[in-house]
C-alpha cells in the first residue's frame, strides 16, 4: 500500500464523506446551522462545486456527457483547485474566520476515481490540496446506501450501483487506514442512527454544545 502525502491540515476546515445515500448533504446543512446557533460563522460548500467545471462534472454524473475516467479525475482535481485556492474559495473563507463545512472532498476522488484508474495516480493528482482539520466519515453499508438511493425514485447517477458502492466502500476504508497517522482528526460516525443521532455524534466530536 502506498503512503499518501497531502498538504498539512488547515484549521477550521471540516469535511463530510461517505457513500452515496449516507447523508453527507443533510448533515452538512445541519452542522452549519448548529455552528451559527453557537455563534460561529459557518460556510457550507460542496464538491463537485457549482462552478463551471463542477457543472460539467454533474452532467457526466447524470450521464448526459461521457468522458474517459482519467479525464474525470483531472476534472475533479481542477474543480477542487478552484474550490480551494480560487476566489471566495476554502482558503479565503477560513482566513476570513469562517468554519468551512464541505460536503465531499478529495477523499471522494480517492474512493470513486480509483474504481477505474490506479489509486496512486488519483492520490498524485490530489497532492496539491491541504487535508481538513476534521474528516467525518459517515459509515453505512453499501446495501443500505443503495436502498436509500433507489428509494428516492430518481434516475440513478454514474456511481449509484450496488457493486460499485461495495468497491467504493473498500476504497474509503483503504484511505482511512492510510491516513490514520496523518495530522487530520478523523471521526468515523455510525451511519445507522437517525438524522438527529448522527448530527449529535458530529456535534459531540466538535464540542458544540449550545
Ligand atoms: P453527491 O455528492 O451525492 O451530490 P448530488 O446528490 O447532488 O448528486 O454526488 C456527487 C457524486 O460525485 C457522488 O457519486 C460522488 C462523486 N464524486 C466523485 O466521483 N469524485 C469526487 O472527487 C467527488 C467530490 C465526488
Amino acid at each position: 500500500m502506498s503512503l499518501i502525502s497531502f498538504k498539512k491540515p488547515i484549521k477550521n476546515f471540516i469535511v463530510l464523506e461517505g457513500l452515496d445515500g449516507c447523508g453527507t448533504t443533510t448533515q452538512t446543512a445541519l452542522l452549519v446551522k448548529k455552528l451559527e446557533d453557537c455563534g460561529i460563522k459557518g460556510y457550507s460548500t460542496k464538491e463537485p462545486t457549482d462552478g463551471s467545471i463542477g457543472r460539467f462534472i454533474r452532467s457526466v454524473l447524470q450521464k448526459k456527457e461521457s468522458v474517459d475516467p482519467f479525464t474525470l479525475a483531472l476534472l475533479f482535481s481542477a474543480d477542487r483547485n478552484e474550490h480551494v485556492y480560487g476566489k471566495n474559495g476554502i482558503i479565503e473563507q477560513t482566513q476570513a474566520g469562517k468554519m468551512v463545512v464541505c460536503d465531499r472532498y478529495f477523499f471522494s476522488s480517492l474512493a470513486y476515481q480509483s474504481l477505474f484508474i490506479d489509486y496512486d495516480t488519483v492520490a498524485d493528482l490530489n497532492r496539491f490540496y491541504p487535508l481538513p482539520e476534521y474528516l467525518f466519515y459517515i459509515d453505512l453499508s453499501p446495501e443500505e446506501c443503495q436502498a436509500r438511493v433507489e428509494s428516492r425514485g430518481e434516475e440513478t447517477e454514474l456511481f449509484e450501483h450496488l457493486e460499485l458502492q461495495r468497491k467504493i466502500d473498500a476504497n474509503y476504508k483503504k484511505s482511512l487506514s492510510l491516513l490514520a497517522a496523518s495530522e487530520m482528526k478523523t471521526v468515523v460516525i455510525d451511519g445507522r442512527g437517525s438524522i438527529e443521532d448522527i448530527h449529535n455524534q458530529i456535534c459531540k466530536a466538535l464540542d458544540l454544545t449550545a
Side-chain angles (χ1 to χ4, degrees):
M1 271 203 200
S2 51
L3 272 178
I4 315 181
S5 101
F6 299 107
K7 295 201 168 175
K8 281 182 174 300
I10 47 173
K11 274 198 86 63
N12 298 336
F13 177 27
I14 298 169
V15 169
L16 278 76
E17 288 275 357
L19 297 178
D20 285 282
C22 78
T24 55
T25 307
T26 307
Q27 292 301 330
T28 299
L30 285 174
L31 178 55
V32 172
K33 184 171 179 308
K34 178 72 176 186
L35 290 169
E36 301 280 341
D37 291 348
C38 293
I40 301 167
K41 265 197 201 123
Y43 180 78
S44 162
T45 188
K46 67 177 178 198
E47 292 190 1
T49 68
D50 289 330
S52 45
I53 304 169
R55 289 198 306 275
F56 179 73
I57 291 173
R58 284 197 187 274
S59 67
V60 175
L61 296 172
Q62 291 159 7
K63 299 177 248 180
K64 292 176 189 153
E65 302 268 358
S66 172
V67 296
D68 177 82
F70 186 65
T71 307
L72 187 58
L74 290 167
L75 285 167
F76 273 115
S77 182
D79 186 43
R80 184 162 299 127
N81 196 64
E82 281 303 306
H83 192 206
V84 173
Y85 299 111
K87 198 167 159 33
N88 297 319
I90 291 169
I91 302 272
E92 214 175 279
Q93 299 297 339
T94 57
Q95 284 174 351
K98 291 185 199 153
M99 183 77 88
V100 173
V101 185
C102 188
D103 181 2
R104 297 191 179 280
Y105 188 49
F106 65 64
F107 311 98
S108 284
S109 281
L110 292 169
Y112 288 75
Q113 274 55 68
S114 66
L115 289 171
F116 303 114
I117 60 175
D118 182 53
Y119 184 94
D120 288 354
T121 305
V122 183
D124 203 37
L125 291 180
N126 285 281
R127 69 186 185 280
F128 320 99
Y129 310 119
L131 289 161
E133 183 178 0
Y134 282 92
L135 166 63
F136 287 98
Y137 182 69
I138 304 180
D139 196 13
L140 189 62
S141 74
E143 291 75 18
E144 179 67 24
C145 286
Q146 187 59 25
R148 288 190 190 177
V149 165
E150 284 170 16
S151 73
R152 290 176 190 157
E154 293 165 8
E155 188 83 17
T156 53
E157 290 198 339
L158 199 59
F159 299 113
E160 296 173 340
H161 299 280
L162 184 54
E163 275 320 303
L164 291 183
Q165 295 255 50
R166 288 197 176 116
K167 290 184 188 156
I168 296 160
D169 182 57
N171 287 340
Y172 265 127
K173 304 285 157 73
K174 173 174 171 173
S175 296
L176 291 178
S177 112
L178 285 171
L179 288 162
S182 78
E183 290 165 70
M184 168 180 75
K185 290 170 229 163
T186 301
V187 185
V188 178
I189 300 284
D190 183 347
R192 290 169 303 177
S194 65
I195 290 176
E196 201 192 348
D197 209 47
I198 294 172
H199 175 60
N200 289 338
Q201 287 183 61
I202 295 172
C203 291
K204 194 163 166 234
L206 292 171
D207 241 350
L208 295 172
T209 46

